[in-house]
Each structure stands twice: as C-alpha cells, then as structure tokens.
Amino acid sequence: MCGIVGYVGSKQAAEIILEGLARLEYRGYDSAGMAVYDGEKIRISKTAGRLKVLEESTRGGETMPGVLGIGHTRWATHGIPNETNAHPHFNKDETITVVHNGIIENYIALRDLLKKHGYEFQTETDTEVVAHLLDYYDKGDPLETITKVLHRVEGSYALGIIFASHPDTLYAVRKDSPLIVGRDDSGCFIASDVPAILKHTRRVFYVDDQEIAVMKADDLAFYSIYGERIEKEEVYVDWDADAAEKGGYEHFMLKEMNEQPKTVTDTLSPRIRDGRIVIEELNMSDEELAAVKKIHIVACGSAYHAGVTGKYVIEGLARIPVEVDLASEFRYRDPILEEGAMVIVISQSGETADTLAALREARNRGFRVLAIVNVVGSSIAREADAVMYTWAGPEIAVATTKAYSAQLINLYLLALKMAHVRGRLDDDELVDMIEDLKCLPQQIELLLGNQKRIQRFANRYIGAKDIFFIGRGIDYSIALEGSLKLKEISYVHSEAYAAGELKHGTISLIEEGTLVTAIATQPELFAKTVSNIVEVKSRGAFVLAVTTEGNDEIEKNADYVIYVPQTNPYFMNSLAIVPLQMFGYYVSVGKGYDADHPRNLAKSVTVE
Ligand code: F6R
C-alpha cells in the first residue's frame, strides 16, 4: 500500500519523482525515499515522516542530480515506519536498488536462504530480499536477472528497479499491485497511479500481471516473465488534472463531499435514455438479467456499506435475494454459489486485495462478475467480466465520500433495471423513480448548504468518547457508513446498530449525555425507530435525529434534528449520508486532525 514513481530520460529525475510522489501520498505517507543514478553510482536519500521531509532534505531534488531515478512513499506493512525501512533498498554493493509496493509473502524463507549465501540484512522489510535476490542472480543481463527473481518470489508486487551496470535503463514489473508506464518526448515514467505523471504525459500503458517494462529515454519494451517480447497498446488518459487538486477547499475530503452533486449526475445521466435505464456495459440482454436468481455483493469498508444499501434496494424493488459479504470473509468461507447467481464486487480503487481475491474466487468457479469500480484500468476493472464505472473522478481523501455516493447510484440503477425487466415495476413507475433520481444532485446541493450549522453542532462533540448510530432497514445501512466516517477521521469511538438490536446488549453503554444519532427516514419504520429513540433518551442519551422533511413530530423526542428533503425511500441514503459525512469531517477538523490522512489508514488497501 505504497506509492512508487520512476523516471528515465533527458530531464532531472529527482524533481519529477518528488512531484509524482506528492500526488501519491494518499497511498502511504509514513516515510519516503528516492534513488538517483548520478553518473557514477546510485545515490539514495530516505526520510521518516511525510514526503515534505524528503523534499527539504534534498532541497526539492537539487542535491540528487541525474536522469534516472525511482522514488517511494511508504505505508508500513513489514517493519516500523523509519528511515532504515523506507525504500529504496540496496543490494550489498549498492549497485542495484529497488522500490516496492505489495508484500513478498515468502520473504522469510528467501531471507534465510540468502543469509546462508552470506547476505546480510539491514532492514525489517520484506522488500530487501528482492534487492539481494537480484544481486544473487545478476550475471550482467538485468532482464534475465529479473525473470529469475520473479520465479522465486511469491505475493504481490509493483517494483521499480535500477542497475548501476545499465545506467540508461529503468526496469519495472508488477503482480497484483498497480503499476502504469507513461511516455513523453523526454523519456519514460512509472507510477502506481495516473495522477502522479499527468503533469508530464497522458500517454499511458497499463502493465498487466507479471509483465516487465524495460525503459530508456527513447525506447520502451515489455516482456513476459519468460523474457518474451509483448506488444502493448498505448492508452490516452483524458482525466482533468485540476480534478486532482484541492480547488480552494481546506481538505480534499471537503472538496470531494462538495463534488457529490456532480458525481451523482455524471454517474446517472449517461445511463438514462428516454425514460429507460440503459446499462450497456453489463453486456446482458433483458432476458439474461431477468433470469438472475440470486445476487452476491462483495466489498470492503464503505463499499460494503453501499452493498448493504444495495441489498435492501434490490430485494425491495426487484425481489431477487441478495447476500452481502465482506470480501475478506467471502474469499475464505467457501461461499455457496448456485447456478443463476451473479456476483457484484464494489471498489473505489479497484485494487483492494480482498475484493480482487473475491472476484477471482467467483470467476474461478465459473460465475460472471460485475464490478462497480471508480478507477479506470484498475486490476478489478480489468479482471471483471463487466464493469459499471462510477464516474466520481480521482478521489484523494482517504475517507471515501463521492465514490461511495456514486456506488449507491449504480446500485439503484441496477435495482430499477432488474425490477423493470422482471415486471416488478411498470413503465410509469420506472419513469417516476428515474425522476426522483434526477432530483438527487440538487437535493444534495441543498444539504451541503448546511455546513456551518453542522460544524457548530460537531464542535460540541469534539470531546466525545463514544457515539452511537442507530437505524432500521436502509437507515441501518446509512448508520453503518455514518459511524465509519466519524470514527476513521476523528478517532472517536463509534458504533452503528440496527435500532431494534440496541436493547440486546449495547444499550448498557448509554450514559447521561452520550450522543446517539438516530436515522429515521423510512416511513414504514419511523414509529419503530422513534420508540428506540425514547429508549435511549430515558437512559440519558442526547439524540441527534436525521429524518425527512415533514416528520416534525420527532422533535418531541429528539434533542436536535436534521431534515433531509423528500425522495423515494429507497434512495434516502444518498441524502441522509451527506450531513453524517459533514459531521465526521467537522469533528475531525475541530480536533485539529488532518481529515485527508487519518492515522493508520491508506487510500488503497492492496494487502490482505
Ligand atoms: C472508508 C473507506 C474504506 C474503503 C475500503 C474499500 O472511508 O474508504 O472503507 O471503502 O477500503 O476500498 P475500495 O472501495 O477502494 O475497494
């Protein structure tokens, strides 16, 4: 879960690498390092802490001249975050250096073997075995050396490699960790993700598993792990570079919350035509869609929470049974997948290791997998049978907001489409519900206008120790996400409970003044949730209620109420989540935390 960048060409590498790493800090930010070939030897500079420490210590790259280099921003897995464990890592003679994103699973066995051959280890990392293994196999032909190493290492990797013996060439390879290659008139780039090199080029190659890129200033070739030449297609990336900037907001998270009306529109509009839902990318006829007997939704974190909402919406509208699994559980529980089942994986990054493994598990068993993904060309997008992209653009803040909102839209669209082809919704009902969907962006915009009020309320809770979120049905799925948003960026302990379940244990935690956020947007469950509000109030809780306009009677029981506009109850999550995202954000800001970079978390979780 790290970011790597590399360059070979006619320009100074260090500056390009530092700029690129700055765009990848969301992938990891506990230490950073860079290696540049200076004309005689490879020089490495590494620092613990954020990238700016490395920038300062190398005076923005000035102290590291050279036109070939690799860099790394780390999120520790093996070995604590310190200067020694920061990448790049050297072989013993300091003639080979490597940066790595991923985990070498058999590193202990390899380390023991290499020690027997006299290699000494300086770091606690799994990556160092790669540097020594390259050294062990090196007979002067780097491509051959790399292929031999790849046959020995197990696990996931994106590697950038420099051999001092070949000072005009940059080498890179990947398996199960993201890596792209870019090219411009000056030379070639490698990066974990497109934004790192967008400033220089939009000409990109997506490196596939176990492909090796061999790059010079004026040449670029790809090889298999057997050393055979591979032809690859160049892709032109038309992302808006500004979309990856903060655009005047204090944090990317705030900017991204404010982008939700656009995200919802962008994800929705291309799939609505003449009062019908058109999801061409499904590559399934209406008959095939109608024949689906069961759906398995598999995802992690917030994407899983979107899946829980999806279950209520798909089951409610299309009457197809839906099971929702955490990907880390699905992959090892030997799930029962029966004929006629369809698997949907949801992932913003498209690189989440557990979700990717779940996708592979389903495909290996012969099931069709639809991926709802935000990052175009990501591993999950490339391996799925069909991809229904969320058009949220790059999401930089670690805590997801706009991508989650876009995931909900794709799930609603699927639910409506399935309900329609199965005859559960007639044409007129479908048109009405599409109209409700079309109103969501404007309604979200209205809710975003409440920022000051929510900030004031949040400021009262910056000292809170425990906060509870409760709801029933879809409101429960909203509670799950609201609770995660709060705890992950403000470090306030918080739990989400199905409102009816509270009294089976958790209610004993409610004390005088404990904040309970009750979500009560579902008309059929409203009275039930109000009863649960009364239960916690009588134990001293302070109740913040999130409900729909018109439900004023809730004010008799709740202490503070946030109203969201009316929409079809199935789509309520898209509105009710907005104040909860803002609440989490402002508690974090009120406590003086960096909401974009919560401790211990990274944007893209490419390890199990
Ligand atoms: C929370 C958050 C995470 C992700 C989870 C899955 O704000 O962002 O819980 O939702 O790590 O990531 P993706 O969607 O990239 O598979």
Side-chain angles (χ1 to χ4, degrees):
M1 200 143 17
C2 307
I4 67 177
V5 179
Y7 174 75
V8 59
S10 56
K11 296 182 181 169
Q12 289 299 303
E15 203 181 310
I16 292 173
I17 291 166
L18 287 172
E19 270 170 16
L21 291 178
R23 306 304 303 274
L24 293 184
E25 266 202 297
Y26 63 87
R27 300 184 61 84
Y29 36 79
D30 60 39
S31 50
M34 174 164 64
V36 177
Y37 183 78
D38 71 0
E40 282 179 17
K41 60 181 187 329
I42 300 169
R43 288 178 51 205
I44 286 186
S45 184
K46 306 200 274 190
T47 50
R50 301 295 291 258
L51 181 68
K52 69 174 180 336
V53 188
L54 181 69
E55 281 166 356
E56 279 160 19
S57 77
T58 60
R59 292 209 304 272
E62 256 178 49
T63 62
M64 297 190 74
V67 293
L68 167 65
I70 49 179
H72 188 270
T73 173
R74 180 168 185 250
W75 185 82
T77 54
H78 294 65
I80 55 164
N82 62 15
E83 192 179 312
T84 309
N85 289 332
H87 300 210
H89 296 296
F90 260 143
N91 65 336
K92 61 181 185 314
D93 299 334
E94 304 193 348
T95 53
I96 303 173
T97 188
V98 59
V99 285
H100 169 219
N101 171 30
I103 290 182
I104 306 299
E105 286 173 359
N106 59 340
Y107 81 102
I108 294 177
L110 289 173
R111 193 179 57 195
D112 292 347
L113 187 86
L114 285 160
K115 278 184 178 167
K116 281 190 196 136
H117 287 283
Y119 286 89
E120 282 171 22
F121 282 75
Q122 314 297 329
T123 78
E124 302 159 285
T125 65
D126 52 329
T127 306
E128 196 182 351
V129 296
V130 179
H132 295 314
L133 213 53
L134 287 162
D135 180 277
Y136 178 76
Y137 283 115
D138 187 29
K139 300 279 177 292
D141 177 349
L143 181 60
E144 194 184 309
T145 308
I146 293 170
T147 58
K148 285 191 175 139
V149 168
L150 297 187
H151 284 100
R152 298 304 303 269
V153 293
E154 288 164 19
S156 60
Y157 47 80
L159 300 166
I161 308 165
I162 297 176
F163 291 80
S165 58
H166 289 72
D168 60 347
T169 314
L170 170 62
Y171 299 87
V173 59
R174 68 158 275 191
K175 181 178 164 279
D176 295 336
S177 287
L179 182 74
I180 56 145
V181 167
R183 180 154 69 170
D184 75 356
D185 294 340
S186 78
C188 293
F189 307 78
I190 58 167
S192 302
D193 203 351
V194 173
I197 59 168
L198 259 193
K199 186 177 166 197
H200 304 282
T201 185
R202 291 175 175 277
R203 294 162 59 198
V204 160
F205 296 84
Y206 290 102
V207 183
D208 281 308
D209 271 357
Q210 301 201 307
E211 287 179 353
I212 304 164
V214 180
M215 295 153 278
K216 295 179 194 285
D218 55 0
D219 193 26
L220 165 61
F222 293 95
Y223 297 88
S224 73
I225 53 161
Y226 303 102
E228 295 147 348
R229 186 82 187 243
I230 300 169
E231 290 309 319
K232 285 190 77 71
E233 210 182 310
E234 188 177 285
V235 177
Y236 183 81
V237 178
D238 57 6
W239 278 14
D240 176 0
D242 286 348
E245 300 295 338
K246 271 193 220 158
Y249 290 100
E250 197 184 339
H251 291 104
F252 279 111
M253 186 175 170
L254 185 59
K255 171 177 175 278
E256 288 160 6
M257 284 190 288
N258 278 282
E259 285 170 350
Q260 289 178 113
K262 180 171 184 313
T263 297
V264 168
T265 307
D266 290 349
T267 304
L268 189 63
S269 333
R271 293 168 174 129
I272 293 177
R273 271 179 234 155
D274 305 324
R276 291 285 174 277
I277 290 166
V278 184
I279 315 175
E280 274 158 1
E281 57 269 51
L282 277 183
N283 288 328
M284 283 172 90
S285 65
D286 285 359
E287 291 69 32
E288 284 171 319
L289 212 49
V292 171
K293 291 204 182 79
K294 182 166 183 180
I295 292 178
H296 294 261
I297 300 181
V298 191
C300 303
S302 296
Y304 167 80
H305 298 158
V308 177
T309 302
K311 172 183 167 73
Y312 288 112
V313 181
I314 297 170
E315 286 189 342
L317 287 170
R319 304 305 296 159
I320 301 173
V322 181
E323 256 185 60
V324 196
D325 269 87
L326 292 163
S328 52
E329 291 294 311
F330 181 88
R331 63 184 291 192
Y332 294 121
R333 79 168 169 88
D334 195 10
I336 299 169
L337 299 176
E338 284 171 348
E339 217 188 311
M342 176 180 177
V343 178
I344 302 177
V345 296
I346 309 175
S347 174
Q348 184 285 130
S349 62
E351 300 295 347
T352 301
D354 284 321
T355 312
L356 184 58
L359 173 152
R360 288 178 179 159
E361 170 75 22
R363 292 201 76 226
N364 285 342
R365 294 186 186 203
F367 285 86
R368 199 186 147 74
V369 177
L370 166 68
I372 295 181
V373 174
N374 193 43
V375 178
V376 177
S378 55
S379 303
I380 291 176
R382 280 181 288 128
E383 293 193 25
D385 296 285
V387 187
M388 193 177 174
Y389 281 111
T390 45
W391 299 116
E395 194 179 58
I396 308 291
V398 167
T400 183
T401 51
K402 62 175 182 170
Y404 168 82
S405 284
Q407 288 163 356
L408 292 175
I409 296 300
N410 275 356
L411 289 163
Y412 301 156
L413 288 169
L414 269 176
L416 289 176
K417 176 91 193 158
M418 288 183 139
H420 190 236
V421 298
R422 287 162 71 88
R424 295 263 164 194
L425 276 183
D426 66 26
D427 291 358
D428 291 343
E429 287 166 329
L430 180 67
V431 168
D432 283 351
M433 292 188 86
I434 289 176
E435 284 312 308
D436 285 334
L437 285 181
K438 284 185 182 164
C439 291
L440 289 176
Q442 217 186 344
Q443 294 173 317
I444 295 173
E445 197 77 67
L446 271 173
L447 288 163
L448 288 167
N450 283 335
Q451 280 170 31
K452 286 277 162 271
R453 182 172 172 239
I454 292 179
Q455 183 168 18
R456 276 196 299 276
F457 183 78
N459 282 340
R460 287 160 56 176
Y461 283 93
I462 54 181
K465 294 251 174 309
D466 306 287
I467 295 181
F468 294 89
F469 288 73
I470 58 170
R472 289 167 179 261
I474 287 177
D475 289 336
Y476 169 53
S477 71
I478 301 170
L480 287 170
E481 178 60 6
S483 169
L484 179 62
K485 280 291 85 81
L486 172 74
K487 68 185 134 193
E488 67 180 330
I489 54 173
S490 71
Y491 320 145
V492 175
H493 167 252
S494 130
E495 286 185 42
Y497 261 79
E501 182 65 13
L502 206 63
K503 58 184 159 301
H504 297 286
T506 311
I507 203 162
S508 64
L509 295 170
I510 307 291
E511 295 175 351
E512 197 56 40
T514 306
L515 177 62
V516 175
T517 302
I519 299 116
T521 69
Q522 300 296 300
E524 287 176 10
L525 299 167
F526 182 78
K528 299 276 170 210
T529 304
V530 169
S531 306
N532 301 126
I533 291 176
V534 173
E535 281 163 19
V536 292
K537 278 261 346 145
S538 62
R539 280 145 184 97
F542 184 95
V543 175
L544 160 67
V546 178
T547 191
T548 336
E549 279 164 6
N551 284 338
D552 307 5
E553 76 252 45
I554 208 164
E555 291 184 20
K556 285 190 215 128
N557 298 303
D559 300 287
Y560 195 94
V561 183
I562 295 172
Y563 290 101
V564 299
Q566 291 280 357
T567 183
N568 186 295
Y570 284 115
F571 308 148
M572 268 301 171
N573 189 346
S574 294
L575 302 180
I577 196 59
V578 176
L580 300 183
Q581 292 169 338
M582 287 197 278
F583 177 64
Y585 172 75
Y586 282 117
V587 175
S588 167
V589 169
K591 293 176 88 171
Y593 296 141
D594 177 352
D596 283 342
H597 298 110
R599 68 186 180 201
N600 305 336
L601 294 176
K603 184 67 182 161
S604 175
V605 187
T606 50
V607 292
E608 283 197 49

